[in-house]
């Protein structure tokens, strides 16, 4: 199966700052997805990122807070802006490198102090 | 939007016994239903999936059944082993093949007792 990597794997940030998370897929994919997993909870879809178009955000998530870039078919970034402790979560990207099943990156564990 | 309910939240079974986790979904347009296993500190791993044109799918000790009329799907694990201990998530998507974001259930913590 394809490899999906994320950077950083974890970070501790001060409130009010921003963090950009990178996601790299080792093959070209049409769609990439960003999810949030709060401690001990399930996964919630933040947005869908298609190359060449603006990301589509789910209810409760807005572009000003979670801007997303998708500059090419193998890469995407998610920025968590103006962070507060409530943003402490694991952020995961996913994609479908084989065209069918959705696979996840290893996640970025974010702690906001 | 889609809502996925998952039960139970915790399931403890004796090693060698079977485990069943159940999910219901709300959107009749959903047509793709994957199951993920997540071990502590690891990413979710796809273990099996089913599409709406199939009623049952099996892969060794794992099987998934789908009842479209009742909007209900279940994961069955037979001959459970200690390495089956993990959190299991069901999910649903309205785009066949998962070419759409997934809506997840809240997860089931499966504990295999030796």
């Amino acid at each position: 199966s394809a490899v999906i990597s994320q950077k950083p794997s974890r970070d501790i940030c001060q409130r009010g700052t921003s963090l950009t998370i990178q996601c790299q897929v080792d093959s070209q994919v049409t769609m990439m997805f960003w999810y949030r997993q709060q401690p001990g909870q399930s996964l919630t879809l933040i947005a869908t990122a298609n190359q060449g178009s603006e990301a589509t955000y789910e209810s409760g998530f807005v572009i000003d807070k979670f801007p997303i870039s998708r500059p090419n078919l193998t890469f995407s970034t998610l920025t968590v802006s103006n962070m507060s402790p409530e943003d402490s979560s694991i952020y995961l990207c996913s994609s479908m490198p084989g065209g069918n099943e959705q696979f996840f990156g290893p996640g970025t564990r974010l702690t906001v102090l | 939007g889609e809502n996925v309910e998952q039960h139970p939240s915790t399931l403890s079974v004796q090693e060698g016994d079977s485990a069943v986790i159940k999910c219901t979904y709300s959107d009749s347009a959903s047509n793709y239903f994957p199951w993920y296993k997540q071990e502590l500190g690891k990413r979710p791993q796809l273990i099996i999936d089913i599409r709406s044109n199939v009623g049952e799918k099996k892969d060794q000790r794992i099987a998934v059944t789908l009842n479209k009329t009742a909007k209900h799907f279940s994961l069955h694990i037979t001959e459970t082993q200690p390495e089956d201990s993990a959190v299991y998530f069901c999910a649903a998507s309205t785009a066949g093949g998962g070419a759409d974001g997934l809506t997840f259930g809240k997860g089931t913590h499966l504990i295999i007792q030796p």
Side-chain angles (χ1 to χ4, degrees), chain A residues 4 31 33 35 37 41-43 45 48 92 96 99-102 104-106 109, chain B residues 32 36 38 41 43-44 46 49 51 89 97-102 104-107:
Chain A
I4 303 175
M31 294 183 182
F33 306 93
Y35 292 83
Q37 187 174 28
Q41 305 295 314
S42 183
L43 290 83
L45 180 66
T48 301
L92 300 111
M96 301 171 298
N100 291 310
E101 297 85 7
Q102 196 167 133
F104 285 85
R109 183 179 295 270
Chain B
Y32 176 66
Y36 288 85
Q38 188 175 34
R43 74 186 81 187
L46 179 69
D49 58 11
R51 289 165 176 78
F89 293 99
D100 198 356
L102 297 170
F104 282 84
K106 292 190 182 303

Side-chain angles (χ1 to χ4, degrees), chain A residues 25-80:
Chain A
V25 186
D26 70 351
S27 60
Q28 294 186 339
V29 293
T30 304
M31 294 183 182
M32 295 178 74
F33 306 93
W34 288 97
Y35 292 83
R36 181 174 72 183
Q37 187 174 28
Q38 295 179 303
Q41 305 295 314
S42 183
L43 290 83
T44 301
L45 180 66
I46 297 171
T48 301
N50 270 349
Q51 196 271 333
S53 62
E54 296 229 349
T56 303
Y57 290 82
E58 298 299 305
S59 175
F61 298 96
V62 296
I63 187 171
D64 290 347
K65 176 67 175 177
F66 297 101
I68 288 171
S69 79
R70 183 78 205 275
N72 57 51
L73 289 171
T74 63
F75 187 79
S76 179
T77 67
L78 170 76
T79 298
V80 186

Side-chain angles (χ1 to χ4, degrees), chain A residues 11-19 65 80-89 91 109-113:
Chain A
D11 208 342
I12 301 172
C13 302
Q14 297 297 319
R15 69 173 66 209
T17 63
S18 298
L19 176 72
K65 176 67 175 177
V80 186
S81 303
N82 188 25
M83 289 184 286
S84 67
E86 293 70 38
D87 295 320
S88 296
S89 281
Y91 292 85
R109 183 179 295 270
L110 171 62
T111 302
V112 184
L113 302 178

